[in-house]
């Protein structure tokens, strides 16, 4: 049975929501999600309640919720975010 048929969320849906909630109220921060569920959670957060959240592709590109490139993040700037505690890896 699917979640819509039973009226309850699946385990994966619950995990995505929990992952999204991690970024609620954190201010501008670089999200570095690893894996499908954290990635969907970060995109959900950005689309719903954290528009200031920066998403990375794991290399040097800032991406939008749709995965399209929005900007470039040089490694030096990335290290500044990491040392300042503004990067959240999940």
């Amino acid at each position: 049975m699917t979640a819509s048929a039973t009226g309850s969320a699946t385990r994966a849906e619950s995990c995505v929501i929990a992952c999204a909630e991690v970024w609620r109220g954190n201010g501008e921060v670089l999200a570095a999600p690893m894996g499908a569920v954290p990635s969907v959670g970060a995109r959900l957060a950005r689309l719903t309640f954290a528009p200031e959240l920066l998403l990375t592709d794991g290399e040097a590109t800032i991406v939008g919720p749709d995965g399209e490139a929005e900007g470039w993040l040089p490694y030096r700037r990335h290290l500044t975010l990491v040392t300042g505690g503004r990067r959240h890896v999940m």
Side-chain angles (χ1 to χ4, degrees):
M1 247 184 207
T2 65
S4 60
T6 63
S8 61
T10 65
R11 185 176 303 157
E13 290 167 338
S14 295
C15 289
V16 165
I17 292 168
C19 290
E21 286 296 329
V22 168
W23 286 287
R24 185 182 292 276
N26 280 340
E28 185 175 337
V29 70
L30 177 65
M34 297 181 185
V37 170
S39 294
V40 173
R43 286 176 168 80
L44 175 64
R46 169 114 183 250
L47 286 169
T48 56
F49 56 79
E52 71 284 355
L53 183 64
L54 298 175
L55 305 172
T56 179
D57 66 352
E59 292 185 25
T61 305
I62 300 296
V63 296
D66 59 358
E68 291 294 316
E70 288 187 339
W72 180 66
L73 182 66
Y75 196 67
R76 179 177 44 183
R77 180 68 180 125
H78 191 127
L79 286 176
T80 302
L81 289 169
V82 171
T83 59
R86 304 305 300 160
R87 179 176 181 243
H88 187 132
V89 177
M90 178 180 290

